[in-house]
Amino acid sequence: MKQKEINSLKKHFSLGNERLTVEKFALGVISGKEMKQFKIDSFNFMDETEQFVYMKLLKESLAGKVGKALLEYSVPTDNFKNDSGVQKLYELNQDGLVDEDTVKGLMMELVEKAMYDFPVCVTIADIVYNVPSEKSEDAMDDDEEFVDENVFRFILCNIIPLSFAEAELYYNDAKNELLRRKDENGSLVLDKKATDSIMYPVLNDGTSDVNYVLYKTKDPKHPNQYIVEEFLKCAYTMSGVDEQAKIVNALYGTFGEELDYDILSGMKEELKRIEYEDSENPEVTKVAAKDLSKALENIGCDSDTIERFEKEYVKNVGEDIQVKSVNVMNTENTVFKTAGIKVTVKQKDIDKVSIERVNGKRCLVVEIDESMKVDDILVRV
């Protein structure tokens, strides 16, 4: 899924939204390899407070950047006949959350394969999304009538940790004092965010695509490899953090102390071009050594430098291994950091920034308008 498609879907996760409906909602509390609680409800019949909490949780499970927290995996053909988690998600998506034993079995298997030994709550939502065309999206913005382009039905699964409630202080109006409250029964509290989420099938170019599955991790540095390999039975790839670190090592190995701002800014522009040319591809844009070598050539690097980079790429990343462009460099923003100072500039405004010598000192020079905001206060400069 492209980031734009994720963002468009995510904004419809709200109660009463006529484009997105949660049909049924299953919940299971699992502790010590035992199902402590289980239920399947029609979402509309649930308590309004529960609806609000779970809708917020569902929306959060799609938050993040594609290629970093949101990882899309290609589903091998064998996965539809080898009793994999994907096969079971496919069947749930076809039949809905009708068979309780099937839903329970999926929850238990997911927690077992995830290797979690602490209490968790597993939720599975059966969701219908009326995919708008670009024309109908514009009509919505203008409060005009719209026509749906496609109906997309998908399963969204979350694993949420449960932790013991802490002591609280609350104000008691009758006694006019702060009182200490602690649950003596040791109740478990649902965390606000899932550690892992699975969306299946995915939405590619406005239509359902069963050949891919989307996995969301709360910690991009440490995705749960067991869920990907043992439950989904997909080929695990490097995390976004690992990919970025390996590319950085390849750049340092190539340029050493000669790695400067001009090289990085030039590569950012080349990556933006590659991403634009690949915009019709439903998958996240990936690049190989040859793509980055061509980028270096386009910004004026000589053949010896390019040859060194290709060797460093093989050494750090691997031969014929592709990495996601989003993990090579951020093409949306540039973040400048130095002692005590951090400046973030949107890439579309990067031409307003330069590095110059002022009074003999190296300075980051930022072009500004006649007025700007300081701590959100509009001031003249």
Side-chain angles (χ1 to χ4, degrees):
M1 290 182 72
K2 292 290 189 181
Q3 190 71 51
K4 182 179 179 182
E5 208 147 27
I6 286 277
N7 294 342
S8 178
L9 169 61
K10 191 175 64 174
K11 73 180 183 181
H12 294 289
F13 276 87
S14 60
L15 296 180
N17 189 300
E18 58 188 41
R19 280 205 169 275
L20 186 142
T21 306
V22 180
E23 299 288 306
K24 285 195 173 183
F25 191 83
L27 179 149
V29 175
I30 301 173
S31 178
K33 298 183 179 181
E34 181 183 348
M35 182 77 75
K36 299 288 187 179
Q37 182 198 5
F38 176 82
K39 65 177 181 178
I40 299 178
D41 286 326
S42 293
F43 194 76
N44 286 338
F45 294 157
M46 293 173 64
D47 177 81
E48 187 174 345
T49 300
E50 284 187 295
Q51 288 181 350
F52 177 80
V53 170
Y54 292 133
M55 184 65 80
K56 188 175 180 181
L57 180 73
L58 292 171
K59 182 175 183 177
E60 174 60 32
S61 65
L62 293 178
K65 199 169 185 64
V66 175
K68 291 187 179 293
L70 294 165
L71 304 170
E72 188 175 63
Y73 289 95
S74 175
V75 178
T77 306
D78 289 348
N79 279 21
F80 295 103
K81 54 186 178 182
N82 65 358
D83 203 34
S84 69
V86 169
Q87 179 192 2
K88 292 168 183 175
L89 289 169
Y90 176 84
E91 292 169 356
L92 277 187
N93 188 52
Q94 295 296 306
D95 302 334
L97 307 184
V98 177
D99 190 296
E100 290 193 3
D101 289 337
T102 300
V103 177
K104 280 183 181 180
L106 181 67
M107 289 180 172
M108 294 295 291
E109 180 182 353
L110 177 55
V111 173
E112 179 184 353
K113 295 287 176 65
M115 301 292 286
Y116 285 137
D117 57 0
F118 49 83
V120 296
C121 174
V122 180
T123 67
I124 300 178
D126 178 23
I127 304 173
V128 174
Y129 173 48
N130 295 309
V131 184
S133 64
E134 290 186 9
K135 184 177 180 180
S136 62
E137 281 278 34
D138 294 338
M140 282 182 67
D141 293 338
D142 298 331
D143 293 328
E144 297 176 4
E145 187 176 352
F146 58 83
V147 178
D148 290 327
E149 186 177 73
N150 180 41
V151 176
F152 171 54
R153 191 179 202 114
F154 65 101
I155 297 293
L156 196 51
C157 181
N158 288 291
I159 302 179
I160 312 109
L162 290 161
S163 53
F164 284 102
E166 297 180 356
E168 297 177 288
L169 290 177
Y170 70 99
Y171 177 71
N172 184 291
D173 190 55
K175 295 184 178 181
N176 191 27
E177 62 178 328
L178 282 172
L179 301 177
R180 183 173 182 271
R181 176 171 58 197
K182 183 176 181 180
D183 190 338
E184 301 298 336
N185 297 319
S187 295
L188 293 168
V189 178
L190 191 72
D191 281 8
K192 294 181 179 180
K193 294 182 180 181
T195 56
D196 306 279
S197 305
I198 298 170
M199 174 184 177
Y200 184 80
V202 302
L203 186 65
N204 276 334
D205 198 22
T207 59
S208 176
D209 191 342
V210 298
N211 297 305
Y212 294 89
V213 59
L214 189 71
Y215 164 65
K216 157 76 180 290
T217 173
K218 183 180 178 181
D219 183 2
K221 292 183 179 180
H222 305 101
N224 192 316
Q225 189 170 345
Y226 298 109
I227 290 179
V228 177
E229 292 185 331
E230 300 299 325
F231 178 73
L232 298 174
K233 296 190 184 300
C234 294
Y236 179 80
T237 56
M238 286 183 288
S239 70
V241 175
D242 288 338
E243 285 188 344
Q244 188 174 47
K246 290 177 184 295
I247 292 296
V248 169
N249 287 339
L251 289 172
Y252 281 140
T254 302
F255 295 97
E257 294 182 356
E258 299 301 315
L259 183 62
D260 60 18
Y261 171 67
D262 290 336
I263 294 170
L264 294 184
S265 60
M267 287 194 70
K268 276 178 180 273
E269 290 303 311
E270 286 296 307
L271 282 169
K272 279 182 67 178
R273 176 186 59 78
I274 292 172
E275 290 172 349
Y276 177 77
E277 292 175 353
D278 192 53
S279 58
E280 296 301 317
N281 182 358
E283 293 187 58
V284 63
T285 300
K286 295 180 181 179
V287 292
K290 62 181 179 62
D291 302 305
L292 298 179
S293 295
K294 183 63 176 177
L296 292 173
E297 180 184 343
N298 290 344
I299 65 175
C301 292
D302 58 38
S303 58
D304 288 342
T305 301
I306 293 171
E307 185 178 345
R308 280 201 310 275
F309 174 77
E310 290 176 346
K311 290 179 179 178
E312 287 293 329
Y313 188 97
V314 172
K315 173 184 172 183
N316 287 277
V317 181
E319 192 170 4
D320 300 326
I321 300 295
Q322 292 182 314
V323 294
K324 303 173 189 71
S325 64
V326 68
N327 295 326
V328 177
M329 285 179 194
N330 184 350
T331 58
E332 296 180 0
N333 302 312
T334 294
V335 180
F336 300 88
K337 290 183 182 180
T338 187
I341 298 173
K342 177 181 177 180
V343 178
T344 302
V345 182
K346 290 184 177 179
Q347 209 59 31
K348 65 182 182 66
D349 298 318
I350 200 64
D351 59 340
K352 296 180 180 179
V353 179
S354 60
I355 297 175
E356 303 176 15
R357 282 195 174 271
V358 180
N359 297 327
K361 296 180 179 180
R362 289 175 298 174
C363 297
L364 183 69
V365 180
V366 181
E367 176 188 331
I368 58 176
D369 299 326
E370 289 297 317
S371 61
M372 69 176 184
K373 287 185 177 181
V374 178
D375 292 337
D376 286 330
I377 301 173
L378 188 64
V379 296
R380 288 188 59 82
V381 292

